[in-house]
Amino acid sequence: MKIKSVKLREAHEVSSNASFCSILWDLQAHHLVTASSSQPSISIHDPLLHSSPPRVLRHHRDGVTALAISPNSTCLASGSIDHSVKLYKFPGGEFETNITRFTLPIRALSFNKSGSMLAAAGDDEGIKLINTIDGSIARVLKGHRGPVTGLAFDPNGEYLASIDSIGTVIYWELQSGRTLYTLNGVAPDNGSDTSVLNVLSWSPDGETLAVPGMKNEIVMYDRDTAEKLFTLRGDHTQPICFMSWSPNGRYMATSSLDKQVLIWDVKRKQDIDRQKFDERICCMAWKPIGNALAVIDVMGKYGVWESVVPSSMKSPTEDIPNSQTRNSNGLLFFDEEDQDLSMSGSLSDLGEDSHGESEPPSRKRLRKQSVIDDDPHEDVYDELNLVRKTEPQRKVPRVNKENSDKEKDALKAMMAFRPKMQEAFQPGSTPPQPGKRHFLCYNMLGSITTIKHDEYSHIEIDFHDTSTGPRVPPMTDHYGFTMASLNENGSVFANPCKGEKNMSTLMYRPFRSWANNSEWYMRFEGEEVKAVALGSTWVAAVTSLNFLRIFTNGGLQKHILSLNGPVVTAAGFSNELAIVTHVSDCLPSNEQMLEFTLFNISKGTQVFKGRLPLTPGSYLTWFGFSEEGQITSYDSKGILRVFTSQYGGTWLPLFSASKERKSGENYWVVGLNASKLFCVVCKNPDTFPQVLPKPVLTLLNLSFPLASSDLGEEALENEFMLNNMNLSQIQNRIEVTAVEGLDTSSLDDEAFDIEAAQDRCIFRLIASCCNGDKLVRAIELVKLLSIEKSVRGAIQLATALKLPILAERFNDILEERLRTKAEVSNTTALSSKHDPATKRSEISEPIVSLSSAKLSAPLFTKKVKSLDRVKFGKQKTDSDQTTNLEDSKEVKDAEKNGGSSHVSSVKEVKNLETRCPSNPFSKLPNIQEGKKVEEATRSQSEGPSNKSSNEEAKKVVEVTGKQCQRPSNPFLKSTVK
């Protein structure tokens, strides 16, 4: 093979160290543009006049690392080590604007086919998609772990491909911004060497993506499936560092670290020519018109390789795909003095017979320009292409367009990137991965996984707690199920439609049944299942016709409801079903408009309906119920919200991932309880876990996004708000359970525990307020205490801190509380004597202090369960049976010790306790301390009314103290004594 010599000339002066240099042609091959990462300048050369000096653009402050030119060659973009991306008019080179900035150097730039979008990336995290019409950031794509070194828009306008320095390739869907495919480790890892950049390139027809391989070859991947198609492997002895397609896609030029450039016949998969250079060629560009290849090496020397393809073979510009022959819309900059540019991109004076358009002199903006309008007739394009080839210097006549038409074109370009409504998803599921098992469902109970084989799938159901969960045998899936839900009773599966013959199928599989063949199937004609959910006695499926279908566990079709919009997701818990639907299309601010509806299936009622709040610019990623039955949502911005009945039904933000997570972490939510969030921590760019190795659950504390308090006790304030929320939820559950006539003792115990914890939290906040001189806030907190002994403790605290005025105000609050209780007790006792029904009702309901704040829960009576609760002064009255037993013992003891008079006094005290149950926390052996507090407060009070109220309060305390001489729980008698 004959070796050709390519003469190179210096374009940029480079130091002894190799630098990455760039080179590109304009549309008509009238100019060559070069740049170097070691110089802040850009050079525009005339390839026909080598002796004439280039036009030099000096606007960057550091080396230029990336160049891109719009499809019609009217706009030039450059990226630099100085973190900026600049736009220029072309070929004049006038600086137009800094369109965006990064925090680290830029490594790659690329225009889309229409020129309306510019992709920019580099050492920063994220790829920016910049709308060149108004300079706005349309989207930021995040997923790479290393610096992004190569970008390529799909010629058909659907995808963007990107590659980083560690060899990862990602397919992005432009309309939604989501990742379609991630190919890890398919290209060389270049480490920190910035003179060698991984690149990638789409074929001109958009069907194939070329990527440098790991074995000194080029690997071709399919456009839609990302599957490996074939490789170009030849005489390169070191990794490929750059590649370039010929205009018709028949040939490819590749350069390698071995300083060779090979020319390939892609169809025949063999090299047809090669050239050895003194230095490594780091960038190449095929000439748009003609048989030539421009090259530049790492030392800043460039040249043009003429007659690259032998004359006996088809020309590299022959049979260019239709998407390339039709002129694409590009960008044109103009100001008051500018006239329209010719198609070649050069400035020209327009004569009277010119078809160019002048623009209004008072506006300076970007506008789209098309040399010809889109037309469905191919012969028109062929004719215009012929004119363009024969007369490249003559401006092609263009059809006059009204300003409204131009605005419509700009609007179309912007609408192409408008976010669409979120697709339906199943909570706890992960995307399918070829050859790997993925989750159909993952929740707090267990998981359902599947892996696809040739003609069927293999499904496995596993429970986290194998000791309690049933053992479910694996299942062979011939339907291709893509969604599932799991609870303790069974599992439900569904699949979408697959053609006309394969209808959408719903299957329910119970775990335990007394009958054989208890699983059942439902098939849907003309609609497909979008989401499924399970409850205690029902199965729900939401379909593409916006139908909510309710089935019993046995398969009976019970209800069919119409929803207001397309479903997003659904979740079930016991008798409740929550469904999220779209209200309308997305807002221009990229906000999803969602609505949730809560149903009670057993009662056939709609419990609540309202808007589902999301963080601006986010979408819903998880939706479900907490272990306590609260509706919960989690969005893509990392905000967790819980629905509460407070304020008529509101969503409370209980977690923010941005405050919790470390750099490079993503949280995949599994579930939550009253205080903890259960999630799987994924490392970037992964946003979901793999089935193997088995995911490890991480527990994170729930916390409100509180403002920085001047008290410095955000942790206590967060605990205070969480306790209030939990108390409110438990009170609602107690009310509902009581109305249904069910036992509420377990809920009472739970509420009692939370109330005790709340008093401890408030007491610590009072101490902080006293130490921080926030006395007004301390008064507000004392009013929220529900236990009288806690108020007494606050009085002692204020006295110890030498705050007599505050102690006096605390004492006033205590007096008012005792006075109110005594008044209510006397009124209740009198009414009970005359009305037996009232007496029974008073026995069954505890008395609530009228001075308690709204946010504090009513007192709940509870049995003493531990010594710690006795020490803290919290004891619950016994049940009626235990009380009767102890009463008889006390009467017998009284007969032995004091005779009949003592027996009558004991009975009177017990009757008073029955008619008027007092605060259970006051029945403690620590009554002497309470007497001292009362004596101290009496000495500070003035006036006969205060004295009488103190006397009355003292009597109440003395009566209560007599009852507390023995503990209510007989199992703790010896301990208390």
Side-chain angles (χ1 to χ4, degrees):
M1 185 177 291
K2 184 179 179 179
I3 303 298
K4 301 177 182 179
S5 176
V6 179
K7 182 179 179 181
L8 302 183
R9 59 188 59 86
E10 184 177 281
H12 301 274
E13 184 178 353
V14 178
S15 61
S16 58
N17 297 328
S19 301
F20 182 81
C21 300
S22 306
I23 190 168
L24 52 83
W25 292 94
D26 68 349
L27 180 65
Q28 294 299 316
H30 293 161
H31 302 88
L32 271 173
V33 185
T34 61
S36 170
S37 61
S38 63
Q39 286 189 343
S41 61
I42 302 171
S43 298
I44 302 176
H45 309 266
D46 187 338
L48 300 178
L49 301 175
H50 300 303
S51 59
S52 61
R55 184 182 298 110
V56 180
L57 311 180
R58 295 184 177 90
H59 295 279
H60 285 288
R61 294 177 296 176
D62 211 332
V64 179
T65 53
L67 292 176
I69 194 167
S70 62
N72 70 343
S73 300
T74 59
C75 173
L76 176 68
S78 63
S80 169
I81 300 176
D82 65 9
H83 313 165
S84 67
V85 177
K86 302 181 185 294
L87 294 184
Y88 311 85
K89 297 176 183 178
F90 193 84
E94 296 87 352
F95 172 74
E96 186 64 26
T97 184
N98 285 312
I99 197 163
T100 191
R101 289 191 63 85
F102 286 74
T103 58
L104 292 172
I106 288 90
R107 302 294 177 189
L109 296 173
S110 179
F111 279 101
N112 68 345
K113 179 184 175 182
S114 66
S116 62
M117 194 65 58
L118 175 67
D123 297 351
D124 261 7
E125 180 185 6
I127 303 168
K128 290 185 179 180
L129 300 183
I130 308 162
N131 193 324
T132 55
I133 297 187
D134 58 6
S136 61
I137 305 298
R139 201 183 298 277
V140 178
L141 309 176
K142 294 185 179 181
H144 283 283
R145 296 182 180 179
V148 178
T149 57
L151 297 170
F153 277 101
D154 157 36
N156 296 329
E158 296 180 8
Y159 308 137
L160 172 71
S162 60
I163 188 171
D164 57 30
S165 62
I166 62 176
T168 300
V169 175
I170 298 181
Y171 283 52
W172 306 90
E173 185 182 54
L174 289 175
Q175 188 172 14
S176 65
R178 64 188 179 96
T179 301
L180 291 179
Y181 305 103
T182 300
L183 310 178
N184 293 313
V186 298
D189 187 345
N190 295 324
S192 58
D193 186 0
T194 57
S195 67
V196 181
L197 302 181
N198 281 332
V199 295
L200 75 178
S201 180
W202 290 96
S203 60
D205 61 4
E207 297 300 321
T208 308
L209 180 67
V211 178
M214 300 294 291
K215 299 180 180 179
N216 311 330
E217 84 275 35
I218 294 293
V219 182
M220 302 294 181
Y221 293 93
D222 183 74
R223 158 196 175 81
D224 295 314
T225 64
E227 295 179 351
K228 183 177 178 180
L229 298 178
F230 60 90
T231 61
L232 300 180
R233 185 175 299 167
D235 293 337
H236 281 306
T237 59
Q238 295 187 48
I240 306 292
C241 60
F242 201 85
M243 72 196 74
S244 180
W245 289 91
S246 66
N248 62 0
R250 184 179 180 89
Y251 308 104
M252 173 175 279
T254 60
S255 65
S256 168
L257 299 182
D258 60 10
K259 302 179 182 179
Q260 287 190 98
V261 173
L262 268 61
I263 308 299
W264 299 83
D265 186 326
V266 178
K267 188 174 182 179
R268 294 163 55 190
K269 303 182 184 62
Q270 67 180 21
D271 59 298
I272 58 176
D273 204 349
R274 70 188 62 191
Q275 176 72 56
K276 182 77 173 182
F277 292 88
D278 296 333
E279 299 291 343
R280 169 167 42 93
I281 299 299
C282 57
C283 189
M284 301 176 292
W286 284 86
K287 191 175 184 179
I289 300 175
N291 184 12
L293 179 72
V295 299
I296 190 168
D297 64 20
V298 293
M299 303 308 294
K301 294 182 178 180
Y302 83 103
V304 178
W305 182 354
E306 299 287 351
S307 301
V308 182
V309 178
S311 58
S312 59
M313 303 180 69
K314 182 178 291 189
S315 169
T317 59
E318 185 178 350
D319 295 334
I320 296 177
N322 290 335
S323 61
Q324 300 297 309
T325 57
R326 300 186 188 187
N327 252 15
S328 301
N329 289 337
L331 298 177
L332 176 64
F333 299 110
F334 62 93
D335 53 19
E336 295 148 9
E337 294 81 20
D338 283 347
Q339 292 177 326
D340 204 5
L341 299 183
S342 66
M343 179 189 161
S344 65
S346 61
L347 290 170
S348 61
D349 295 333
L350 301 175
E352 292 179 357
D353 58 347
S354 172
H355 294 278
E357 295 179 89
S358 60
E359 300 294 336
S362 61
R363 300 173 62 192
K364 182 177 182 180
R365 58 178 175 88
L366 302 176
R367 75 170 170 89
K368 302 179 62 141
Q369 176 185 349
S370 177
V371 177
I372 55 174
D373 294 326
D374 290 339
D375 196 308
H377 302 291
E378 290 294 330
D379 54 345
V380 176
Y381 291 108
D382 294 339
E383 182 179 354
L384 290 179
N385 284 329
L386 180 62
V387 173
R388 187 185 304 119
K389 291 180 180 179
T390 55
E391 297 179 326
Q393 296 292 339
R394 180 179 177 183
K395 179 175 172 129
V396 178
R398 57 191 297 267
V399 180
N400 292 329
K401 303 174 84 176
E402 299 295 335
N403 291 335
S404 60
D405 294 334
K406 299 174 186 177
E407 293 175 357
K408 289 179 181 179
D409 291 339
L411 182 60
K412 288 180 181 178
M414 296 177 67
M415 290 293 291
F417 293 89
R418 182 178 178 179
K420 61 180 182 180
M421 293 194 302
Q422 180 178 354
E423 296 290 339
F425 72 95
Q426 193 69 27
S429 64
T430 58
Q433 297 175 287
K436 291 185 179 181
R437 187 172 288 275
H438 71 279
F439 290 108
L440 292 179
C441 175
Y442 191 103
N443 58 25
M444 299 291 288
L445 183 65
S447 64
I448 302 177
T449 60
T450 183
I451 183 170
K452 186 176 181 181
H453 298 288
D454 293 335
E455 297 181 356
Y456 66 93
S457 297
H458 186 262
I459 293 179
E460 293 182 358
I461 301 177
D462 299 300
F463 291 88
H464 303 318
D465 187 355
T466 55
S467 62
T468 59
R471 180 175 178 81
V472 182
M475 180 178 70
T476 300
D477 169 26
H478 294 282
Y479 293 93
F481 293 129
T482 60
M483 65 195 81
S485 185
L486 172 72
N487 68 3
E488 61 277 1
N489 298 326
S491 56
V492 62
F493 302 86
N495 69 307
C497 297
K498 293 184 178 180
E500 296 180 357
K501 296 183 179 180
N502 297 326
M503 293 185 291
S504 182
T505 303
L506 179 75
M507 185 192 83
Y508 177 70
R509 189 182 189 189
F511 295 144
R512 302 180 182 89
S513 178
W514 58 271
N516 295 327
N517 194 25
S518 55
E519 65 182 38
W520 49 265
Y521 296 83
M522 295 287 171
R523 307 192 73 183
F524 305 96
E525 185 175 357
E527 61 181 316
E528 63 178 0
V529 179
K530 292 293 186 179
V532 294
L534 282 177
S536 56
T537 59
W538 50 267
V539 178
V542 188
T543 69
S544 56
L545 296 182
N546 299 341
F547 287 165
L548 169 60
R549 296 178 176 269
I550 305 295
F551 307 85
T552 64
N553 284 349
L556 175 65
Q557 302 189 49
K558 195 172 183 180
H559 302 288
I560 301 178
L561 309 178
S562 287
L563 301 177
N564 292 341
V567 67
V568 177
T569 190
F573 178 84
S574 185
N575 293 322
E576 294 185 331
L577 168 65
I579 296 178
V580 179
T581 58
H582 286 283
V583 178
S584 66
D585 200 356
C586 299
L587 295 179
S589 58
N590 193 16
E591 291 187 56
Q592 299 284 334
M593 302 295 290
L594 304 182
E595 181 182 64
F596 79 99
T597 307
L598 180 63
F599 299 97
N600 189 305
I601 303 301
S602 62
K603 296 180 180 179
T605 59
Q606 179 177 295
V607 181
F608 200 91
K609 183 177 182 179
R611 284 287 304 278
L612 180 70
L614 293 175
T615 306
S618 69
Y619 53 90
L620 188 64
T621 58
W622 184 85
F623 185 78
F625 288 85
S626 68
E627 290 187 346
E628 294 75 24
Q630 295 176 259
I631 310 176
T632 310
S633 69
Y634 186 77
D635 62 34
S636 58
K637 297 290 186 180
I639 301 298
L640 181 83
R641 295 175 175 87
V642 174
F643 182 75
T644 176
S645 59
Q646 292 178 341
Y647 297 100
T650 55
W651 290 85
L652 304 181
L654 279 185
F655 179 81
S656 175
S658 61
K659 294 186 178 181
E660 290 285 340
R661 66 184 168 199
K662 300 176 183 177
S663 177
E665 288 185 350
N666 294 314
Y667 295 148
W668 192 71
V669 175
V670 176
L672 72 157
N673 59 19
S675 60
K676 300 289 183 180
L677 172 67
F678 296 80
C679 65
V680 178
V681 178
C682 303
K683 300 295 183 181
N684 275 336
D686 297 332
T687 57
F688 55 86
Q690 303 293 329
V691 175
L692 294 175
K694 189 175 181 179
V696 178
L697 286 181
T698 300
L699 276 66
L700 301 174
N701 292 323
L702 298 179
S703 60
F704 287 90
L706 299 175
S708 299
S709 172
D710 54 0
L711 194 61
E713 294 290 352
E714 284 82 5
L716 286 176
E717 291 176 338
N718 180 73
E719 181 183 352
F720 169 76
M721 295 180 68
L722 281 175
N723 288 337
N724 277 331
M725 182 193 71
N726 293 331
L727 278 172
S728 174
Q729 294 294 331
I730 292 176
Q731 289 171 15
N732 290 335
R733 289 162 60 190
I734 290 175
E735 292 176 1
V736 173
T737 306
V739 169
E740 294 175 351
L742 302 177
D743 183 24
T744 63
S745 57
S746 60
L747 293 176
D748 290 342
D749 293 347
E750 188 177 353
F752 183 91
D753 292 337
I754 296 177
E755 189 179 53
Q758 180 73 319
D759 259 31
R760 289 194 294 269
C761 174
I762 293 174
F763 195 86
R764 292 196 297 270
L765 280 172
I766 292 172
S768 298
C769 290
C770 292
N771 292 325
D773 198 26
K774 304 296 180 183
L775 304 185
V776 175
R777 199 176 307 173
I779 293 291
E780 295 172 343
L781 288 167
V782 167
K783 293 179 180 180
L784 299 179
L785 290 170
S786 57
I787 304 171
E788 292 175 9
K789 187 180 178 183
S790 299
V791 182
R792 295 190 179 97
I795 296 173
Q796 292 180 351
L797 175 65
T799 304
L801 294 175
K802 298 182 180 180
L803 299 171
I805 299 177
L806 185 64
E808 183 179 354
R809 289 183 176 272
F810 286 175
N811 184 70
D812 293 341
I813 295 173
L814 177 61
E815 288 180 359
E816 179 64 26
R817 182 171 297 186
L818 293 175
R819 185 188 305 114
T820 303
K821 177 183 288 187
E823 293 174 355
V824 174
S825 300
N826 294 332
T827 304
T828 306
L830 292 175
S831 60
S832 299
K833 292 180 179 180
H834 304 287
D835 189 353
T838 306
K839 179 179 179 180
R840 288 194 296 270
S841 64
E842 290 298 330
I843 291 175
S844 61
E845 296 183 4
I847 296 175
V848 182
S849 174
L850 297 179
S851 61
S852 299
K854 292 182 180 180
L855 290 178
S856 180
L859 298 177
F860 294 90
T861 57
K862 176 178 173 61
K863 294 181 182 179
V864 176
K865 291 185 177 180
S866 65
L867 180 60
D868 294 337
R869 188 166 298 168
V870 173
K871 290 180 179 179
F872 189 72
K874 299 169 182 177
Q875 181 179 3
K876 183 186 176 184
T877 58
D878 295 329
S879 63
D880 294 341
Q881 184 177 358
T882 306
T883 304
N884 292 333
L885 290 174
E886 292 183 354
D887 289 347
S888 62
K889 290 181 180 179
E890 282 197 9
V891 172
K892 291 179 181 179
D893 292 340
E895 290 175 348
K896 293 179 181 180
N897 299 330
S900 59
S901 60
H902 191 48
V903 170
S904 60
S905 63
V906 170
K907 290 183 177 180
E908 184 178 352
V909 170
K910 299 310 296 180
N911 290 333
L912 177 60
E913 181 184 358
T914 303
R915 291 193 304 269
C916 180
S918 60
N919 191 334
F921 299 122
S922 62
K923 300 179 182 178
L924 297 171
N926 198 14
I927 192 63
Q928 298 300 325
E929 181 180 342
K931 291 182 179 181
K932 293 179 181 179
V933 174
E934 293 301 321
E935 292 173 359
T937 54
R938 186 194 310 142
S939 63
Q940 297 177 7
S941 61
E942 296 180 3
S945 60
N946 287 336
K947 288 183 180 180
S948 61
S949 62
N950 287 335
E951 291 293 336
E952 186 177 357
K954 183 178 179 182
K955 291 179 181 178
V956 174
V957 173
E958 288 176 350
V959 171
T960 309
K962 290 179 181 179
Q963 300 172 24
C964 294
Q965 294 304 313
R966 58 161 183 79
S968 298
N969 193 331
F971 298 104
L972 295 177
K973 284 185 178 181
S974 59
T975 305
V976 175
K977 289 180 179 178

